[in-house]
Amino acid sequence: MRIKPKPLIGLLLNPFGIDPRSIDYHNDELQVAARRGRGIPIANLATAPIVNKGFVSSTLQIVVDDGTRVTLRGARHSDATTFGETVKADWIAYNTARFENERPAINAILRIITDLSEPSRYPSACNLSPTLGRAQVLDKDLLSKLSKDAVGAEIFSEIQSIQGFLQNASAMRDRAIKKLEEQQLPKWEAFFDTFESNPLTPEQRISILADEDATLVLAGAGSGKTSVITAKAGYLIKSGIRRPEEILLLAFARDAAKEMSERIEERCGEPLEARTFHSLAYDIIGVVEGSKPALAAHATDDKAFLALIKDILRTLVHTATEVSKSIIGWFSYARLEGKSEWDFKKKHDYYTYVEKMDLRTLQGEQVKSFEELMIANWLFENGIEYEYEPDYEHKVSEGGYRDYCPDFRLKKSGVHIEHFGVRRTRTSDGTYRFTTAPFVDREEYLEGMDWKREVHAEHNTTLIETFSFEREEGRLLEALAEKIAPFETPNPRSRETLFDLVVEMNQADSFVQLIGTFLRHYKGGGYQFRECADKASKMKLGKRASAFLSIFEPLYAEYQKRLDGRIDFEDMILRASDYVERGRYRSPFKHILVDEFQDISRSRGRLVKMLKAQHSDARVFAVGDDWQSIYRFAGSDINLMRSFGEEFGGVFDGRSGVHRVVDLGRTFRSVDQIAYAAKKFVLQNPAQLNKTVIPAGTTDVPALRVVSTFRHDADEKLKQVLRSLNEDTKYEGTRTSVLLLGRYRYLAPSGLPQLRREFPRLDITFKTIHSSKGLEADHVIMLSLYRGRTGFPSEIVDDPLLSLVSPDAEPFENAEERRVMYVALTRARRTVTLMGSASKQSAFVTELLDDPEYGVLGGAEVDQTKHTCGECGGHLLAFPTKDGRTWYRCEHADLCGFTLNACSECGNGLPEAQGKSGLKTCTCGAEYHGCPKCENGWLVERRGRYGSFLGCVSFPRCKGKMKAT
């Protein structure tokens, strides 16, 4: 079929032959005859041919899908119309055929779209994403090229429906989810009402219906997480979504797994075995290898694991010379940061650091500086017997001053050692000038140095002097050895002996725990030694990290050697994950339900991901509470929960990490005052996930209380608390549960059986906070809350070295310890009593007392007003005396030692300055002249050689005075 212009008109309208001279149509292709001829397949037409009638002729226009146009001018109208209609008919037939060729795929997409308007199953991303992908390809290749004219109104309406889905896929999916839940809630009401003894809460029901690629249920303390995960498994079976063999229910402990298995079979009548990660991994290995390798004896026993670490250290000390040096060096001083007074601007900050570091020597005493520690441990290692801060053999102090105690005295030779905290700078004339730390009075310190020299010269005793500048110059121990050589001959102790002494004095335990935690993270995370060393360098962890890694590398090699073909839990998980990833194990599981997800380690997380990846429609359903993540020492990595979507989520509509978070919110345990206080406390760390808390009930009685204790009255104070609880239960008719909690096992009261006999109406038990997880009681009493390295918060848990084997370190101070405190608080239904140390109050207790929003009732045994120590800037703590009065002591008792008696009028208060008047007033109303020389003192009447005068209450420490008026 051909169309061409009328002869004369065509020549007039197209004299140069730019427009087509003719167009032939044959076999679904248009052949354009022009100066630049071309062939146009009918498939490439953007529209049907367009005919425009003119006065003497018509124009035929062909629009191509590349945007170009071909126009033939001067044709007879009848020819143009016939030609155009023929091409149009073939074009529509061609496009309709193309569309119908894709009919199966199109119908499948349309069915999904229809299902979204009336959903019968949860529209998970993994189910919808393939449909969306097919629709996108189909639209690009075909649908976007089809107009209403090309296929007709009926087909075009189907195209519009698919394109509407492409443009609004996420919104349509969200509406479908909401609609499905509205339909399913009443349908499954009977199941939700009867699955447990009490009906499930609205939040629990929604979490069970949620079936995203990755669903995270935030289950706060006492919110019924076990009910949710078991009901989820039951729902999947009862609804026919999954067969029991397609569901993997994972728990961390055998007891928890057994409980869940029994509950599901009882409620659903279907056997479904909940498994631990390790039993699953062991089974995977058995399937792939045909048999299961022997398990290391320590794999299931933490005590045995730590004992093995300790034994390997002992072996290395005996057999590896260089490593033994590193091990003993660690206990000598490498374990510490090694800061000096010059790193601090305030004396209080320095003292706080020293107390936190626990500067304990190999011989067992605590010293006052890192440099003193170096000296003491050098003496001990070299068999030179010494005394630390002994009384000087001659009486030299008078006037009430403390007796002189040199830093060290060598027992054999009687030589004394004084370590002077001075550095030196060279002056312009070539001499040296001594300098002191920023918070030290230089002149006073230098006077003290001279006084000590004079004392020894006067009494003809030998004094060896060491200096801070010697350490600054890297020669402190070398200089010490040279100075001691004329008086005593070193007799070095063997490293084996030194290590045994360290173990005997329990100084190795924290190091063994650190290595054990590090090893599990290192192995479970698949780290390499070089990687850790590089990270230590980038993080500027310094010599401490280098010392640690120099021990860890050979220790790890020996640990692996001692496995002797057996496997530990880390091997088990890693090997199983590898088999799954490589496809050597084919997983039947399409729903993976994980309990206590906050405790998951990186290696366990990898295993879950590998299992999920084997099926395109597999889901992960995790239940956990990041506020209760307290097992970092066992390898857990809280970052997996915080980045849950990124780690386990799906892909949909251009977004990755698609997941859903359901907040249970409601607690069945704690009253409002406990629940809200615990939430506020744990959320001080902004990295914790925020969630709703709906308490189990309300109370008008204070539910949190602090009882301040001293070393001598802690047991009696505990009995007073128990006596009060026992009295409160008199009319209740049932026994009341009381849970005593300690940060460490050794805090258990020694007289626990006696307490149970003394208070028969109370069901008293003791647990460590970690072992109490999952438990609850009417009343919780937290024991021995004090500040210190092994106090609470523990200052040895969040060791910076662990950041070398963690993807992201937690920058928030005491991050995990804060969660441990949250766990402790939320064990209680009705009250929490915090047995705080009056002398070394826990930072957590102080925080709770300082903020009125916590509603904590503070101990009223002593003056709670904050007083600052004028000597170092620390806090002055009030201590009651037997006669009912009070005296005050600096919180840094061993380092500062400042003490002060209370107001002589009331015997309890501490006079404070009032403006610039120079007067100090006590809360009892008594008024005194402030001491002109010291910050804390005030003047009291004294009598001297020349009669009465006003002298400082701190005499003879302070000699401030003025004339009596």
Side-chain angles (χ1 to χ4, degrees):
M1 185 177 198
R2 172 179 288 186
I3 186 170
K4 60 182 181 179
K6 296 177 182 180
L8 182 59
I9 293 176
L11 182 62
L12 291 172
L13 295 177
N14 187 23
F16 303 107
I18 296 173
D19 289 333
R21 295 186 295 275
S22 65
I23 301 176
D24 287 295
Y25 175 56
H26 181 66
N27 291 336
D28 290 339
E29 185 172 72
L30 297 164
Q31 288 292 333
V32 180
R35 181 182 297 176
R36 294 183 178 177
R38 62 186 294 194
I40 305 172
I42 197 172
N44 291 353
L45 297 187
T47 66
I50 302 168
V51 177
N52 293 313
K53 185 177 181 181
F55 182 67
V56 294
S57 65
S58 291
T59 299
L60 178 72
Q61 189 173 74
I62 306 295
V63 181
V64 189
D65 60 9
D66 63 3
T68 61
R69 293 172 182 263
V70 175
T71 305
L72 186 143
R73 307 175 193 279
R76 289 185 180 87
H77 183 67
S78 59
D79 293 345
T81 300
T82 300
F83 187 91
E85 288 179 350
T86 300
V87 173
K88 178 180 179 181
D90 288 355
W91 178 61
I92 291 174
Y94 173 81
N95 285 324
T96 302
R98 286 180 66 196
F99 185 87
E100 293 301 332
N101 282 340
E102 300 290 344
R103 175 56 69 181
I106 289 168
N107 283 347
I109 295 170
L110 291 172
R111 278 196 300 272
I112 294 295
I113 294 172
T114 301
D115 287 346
L116 285 175
S117 60
E118 291 295 332
S120 58
R121 65 175 184 171
Y122 194 96
S124 304
C126 61
N127 283 334
L128 275 185
S129 201
T131 300
L132 182 61
R134 287 194 295 271
Q136 289 168 335
V137 172
L138 195 61
D139 184 60
K140 179 182 178 183
D141 294 344
L142 176 64
L143 304 186
S144 62
K145 300 175 182 178
L146 301 179
S147 62
K148 186 176 182 180
D149 290 341
V151 291
E154 184 176 344
I155 287 177
F156 191 66
S157 69
E158 294 179 325
I159 292 173
Q160 287 182 310
S161 179
I162 293 173
Q163 290 177 333
F165 172 57
L166 291 174
Q167 293 165 9
N168 302 285
S170 293
M172 290 174 67
R173 192 175 85 96
D174 291 343
R175 286 195 295 270
I177 292 171
K178 185 177 181 181
K179 191 164 189 177
L180 178 83
E181 290 171 349
E182 291 171 351
Q183 295 169 348
Q184 294 292 306
L185 284 170
K187 179 179 178 180
W188 288 89
E189 184 175 9
F191 176 82
F192 294 143
D193 284 347
T194 60
F195 188 83
E196 295 286 7
S197 55
N198 293 315
L200 299 181
T201 67
E203 298 86 4
Q204 289 174 324
R205 298 176 190 219
I206 289 295
S207 70
I208 292 164
L209 293 175
D211 203 25
E212 195 52 84
D213 290 33
T215 302
L216 176 62
V217 180
L218 296 178
S223 61
K225 67 175 183 59
T226 305
S227 297
V228 166
I229 199 164
T230 51
K232 176 70 175 183
Y235 167 76
L236 291 173
I237 296 170
K238 288 283 190 182
S239 65
I241 294 174
R242 296 294 185 210
R243 299 188 302 275
E245 62 269 22
E246 294 177 312
I247 301 171
L248 174 62
L249 183 51
L250 288 169
F252 279 82
R254 281 194 299 265
D255 290 346
K258 182 181 178 183
E259 179 192 347
M260 288 191 285
S261 297
E262 292 172 349
R263 196 182 294 197
I264 292 169
E265 185 166 5
E266 179 187 340
R267 306 291 197 275
C268 303
E270 293 275 1
L272 175 61
E273 182 188 2
R275 306 159 84 175
T276 65
F277 275 93
H278 296 121
S279 67
L280 169 68
Y282 214 20
D283 287 345
I284 290 172
I285 294 169
V287 169
V288 176
E289 298 182 3
S291 64
K292 297 177 181 178
L295 195 59
H298 65 268
T300 57
D301 188 339
D302 281 343
K303 286 185 179 178
F305 172 68
L306 296 177
L308 174 63
I309 297 296
K310 189 179 292 185
D311 190 61
I312 292 175
L313 285 171
R314 182 177 282 107
T315 299
L316 293 174
V317 167
H318 280 72
T319 61
T321 304
E322 289 304 315
V323 181
S324 68
K325 288 181 182 178
S326 297
I327 293 172
I328 299 304
W330 177 266
F331 292 109
S332 292
Y333 52 84
R335 63 186 171 87
L336 303 170
E337 294 177 20
K339 291 184 178 180
S340 72
E341 295 94 322
W342 278 264
D343 296 305
F344 300 88
K345 293 182 179 179
K346 296 180 180 178
K347 190 179 292 188
H348 165 60
D349 295 337
Y350 174 64
Y351 287 167
T352 301
Y353 162 78
V354 169
E355 290 170 344
K356 181 177 180 179
M357 285 298 101
D358 187 25
L359 301 176
R360 192 170 297 279
T361 70
L362 294 173
Q363 186 167 280
E365 66 265 312
Q366 282 186 308
V367 293
K368 295 182 174 62
S369 73
F370 183 77
E371 288 160 5
E372 284 189 349
L373 182 81
M374 293 176 68
I375 293 169
N377 286 342
W378 185 91
L379 294 171
F380 190 79
E381 287 181 53
N382 284 279
I384 299 175
E385 295 189 14
Y386 71 88
E387 295 176 278
Y388 179 65
E389 292 195 339
D391 289 336
Y392 186 53
E393 51 264 45
H394 302 284
K395 185 74 173 178
V396 295
S397 299
E398 55 186 33
Y401 284 108
R402 176 186 168 186
D403 288 340
Y404 171 47
C405 298
D407 290 336
F408 300 93
R409 186 178 75 85
L410 307 186
K411 289 184 177 180
K412 183 178 180 181
S413 62
V415 169
H416 302 86
I417 301 175
E418 281 286 3
H419 180 69
F420 294 128
V422 292
R423 291 183 176 179
R424 60 183 185 179
T425 56
R426 189 183 291 273
T427 61
S428 57
D429 62 1
T431 59
Y432 287 99
R433 181 178 185 273
F434 285 144
T435 60
T436 55
F439 52 78
V440 175
D441 184 314
R442 177 179 177 274
E443 298 305 320
E444 185 177 322
Y445 191 86
L446 294 181
E447 287 176 9
M449 289 173 59
D450 290 338
W451 178 83
K452 290 174 182 177
R453 288 166 178 160
E454 291 169 2
V455 164
H456 286 281
E458 180 182 348
H459 294 89
N460 200 29
T461 51
T462 303
L463 175 65
I464 289 176
E465 299 179 9
T466 58
F467 304 92
S468 289
F469 67 74
E470 290 172 327
R471 180 193 168 208
E472 187 183 22
E473 295 166 4
R475 59 185 187 88
L476 174 60
L477 299 182
E478 181 183 342
L480 176 63
E482 292 174 357
K483 294 170 185 177
I484 285 179
F487 306 102
E488 295 209 13
T489 301
N491 182 25
R493 288 182 167 92
S494 70
R495 296 192 182 98
E496 296 87 342
T497 300
L498 290 170
F499 183 78
D500 289 342
L501 287 169
V502 166
V503 171
E504 186 180 318
M505 291 188 292
N506 298 319
Q507 294 194 47
D509 292 348
S510 60
F511 181 55
V512 169
Q513 181 74 65
L514 174 62
I515 285 188
T517 303
F518 192 94
L519 188 150
R520 283 173 166 161
H521 280 271
Y522 178 88
K523 193 170 186 179
Y527 289 91
Q528 299 297 319
F529 182 80
R530 185 70 259 164
E531 179 184 0
C532 294
D534 290 343
K535 195 171 182 181
S537 178
K538 289 177 183 176
M539 295 179 67
K540 298 181 179 178
L541 295 182
K543 294 180 180 178
R544 183 171 184 267
S546 300
F548 178 83
L549 291 175
S550 71
I551 298 169
F552 178 75
E553 185 176 24
L555 181 140
Y556 182 72
E558 178 65 18
Y559 173 83
Q560 289 295 96
K561 180 180 176 182
R562 291 202 186 190
L563 287 175
D564 193 27
R566 293 178 175 244
I567 61 173
D568 58 15
F569 280 159
E570 284 67 38
D571 287 323
M572 197 182 292
I573 301 291
L574 290 170
R575 193 180 299 186
S577 299
D578 186 56
Y579 287 151
V580 175
E581 185 173 16
R582 289 158 53 193
R584 295 187 62 186
Y585 173 81
R586 190 62 189 167
S587 167
F589 308 118
K590 295 186 176 180
H591 258 83
I592 304 168
L593 281 54
V594 188
D595 189 25
E596 300 285 10
F597 192 78
Q598 75 278 350
D599 295 332
I600 198 166
S601 65
R602 192 142 291 270
S603 57
R604 290 183 179 94
R606 177 176 170 240
L607 177 58
V608 170
K609 283 199 283 188
M610 293 304 102
L611 289 169
K612 179 178 184 288
Q614 286 203 357
H615 297 283
S616 61
D617 63 340
R619 324 284 213 284
V620 171
F621 181 86
V623 181
D625 181 7
D626 70 306
W627 295 359
Q628 297 187 72
S629 178
I630 60 172
Y631 288 104
R632 187 183 187 189
F633 66 87
S636 68
D637 186 350
I638 195 174
N639 295 293
L640 287 170
M641 190 168 184
R642 289 176 178 166
S643 56
F644 180 76
E646 180 184 335
E647 295 284 351
F648 302 97
V651 176
F652 184 73
D653 199 15
R655 294 184 299 118
S656 61
V658 175
H659 69 292
R660 183 167 180 185
V661 177
V662 182
D663 185 351
L664 293 187
R666 197 180 309 270
T667 174
F668 298 99
R669 182 180 301 156
S670 303
V671 294
D672 55 345
Q673 291 192 31
I674 296 174
Y676 292 144
K679 174 183 178 179
K680 175 180 169 66
F681 182 81
V682 79
L683 285 180
Q684 295 304 306
N685 180 355
Q688 301 292 165
L689 303 175
N690 198 353
K691 46 184 167 282
T692 305
V693 170
I694 303 171
T698 60
T699 179
D700 296 328
V701 179
L704 287 95
R705 181 163 72 110
V706 171
V707 174
S708 294
T709 65
F710 299 92
R711 189 175 299 175
H712 67 276
D713 66 1
D715 291 342
E716 181 55 36
K717 291 283 181 65
L718 173 61
K719 285 186 179 182
Q720 288 176 13
V721 174
L722 292 172
R723 199 171 291 122
S724 174
L725 294 177
N726 193 60
E727 188 67 23
D728 292 343
T729 64
K730 185 182 296 184
Y731 305 104
E732 293 184 5
T734 58
R735 295 183 78 201
T736 297
S737 55
V738 178
L739 182 58
L740 306 179
L741 291 180
R743 178 62 181 82
Y744 306 98
R745 193 172 288 108
Y746 68 79
L747 294 175
S750 57
L752 191 56
Q754 174 60 33
L755 292 177
R756 289 169 176 153
R757 288 192 294 270
E758 193 171 340
F759 303 105
R761 287 195 291 270
L762 303 180
D763 182 8
I764 305 172
T765 56
F766 171 83
K767 293 284 185 181
T768 64
I769 299 174
H770 283 83
S771 64
S772 75
K773 199 161 169 291
L775 302 178
E776 59 183 59
D778 295 316
H779 306 280
V780 163
I781 301 174
M782 296 179 64
L783 306 175
S784 298
L785 297 172
Y786 62 89
R787 183 184 72 252
R789 190 166 177 78
T790 56
F792 189 35
S794 169
E795 295 172 351
I796 60 175
V797 170
D798 293 320
D799 197 299
L801 290 171
L802 294 177
S803 62
L804 301 180
V805 284
S806 299
D808 296 297
E810 291 193 82
F812 197 79
E813 186 178 14
N814 294 319
E816 178 146 325
E817 288 293 279
R818 184 171 289 272
R819 295 191 291 270
V820 173
M821 182 69 164
Y822 169 82
V823 168
L825 293 172
T826 54
R827 298 311 93 198
R829 287 190 282 263
R830 293 161 56 184
T831 71
V832 177
T833 302
L834 308 171
M835 307 298 287
S837 167
S839 58
K840 287 190 174 182
Q841 190 67 280
S842 160
F844 285 167
V845 175
T846 300
E847 181 180 332
L848 291 169
L849 284 170
D850 285 351
D851 190 339
E853 285 190 25
Y854 285 114
V856 178
L857 189 64
E861 298 91 340
V862 294
D863 178 17
Q864 295 296 316
T865 308
K866 284 190 174 181
H867 303 288
T868 301
C869 172
E871 290 289 312
C872 71
H875 291 129
L876 287 179
L877 305 174
F879 290 82
T881 60
K882 291 181 180 179
D883 61 0
R885 298 172 67 84
T886 300
W887 65 281
Y888 292 82
R889 188 189 74 191
C890 177
E891 62 177 311
H892 306 298
D894 296 328
L895 298 169
C896 174
F898 180 74
T899 61
L900 193 63
N901 288 324
C903 166
S904 55
E905 291 291 326
C906 65
N908 289 302
L910 202 61
E912 294 285 345
Q914 303 297 315
K916 298 181 180 180
S917 65
L919 296 176
K920 288 192 172 186
T921 304
C922 180
T923 51
C924 70
E927 194 171 73
Y928 304 89
H929 288 284
C931 176
K933 191 170 183 181
C934 72
E935 185 174 325
N936 289 115
W938 60 92
L939 301 181
V940 294
E941 187 171 344
R942 297 184 181 279
R943 294 197 63 81
R945 185 183 305 173
Y946 304 106
S948 62
F949 67 97
L950 297 179
C952 182
V953 70
S954 291
F955 181 85
R957 177 191 291 268
C958 175
K959 294 186 172 62
K961 59 184 179 179
M962 63 184 298
K963 291 181 179 180
T965 54

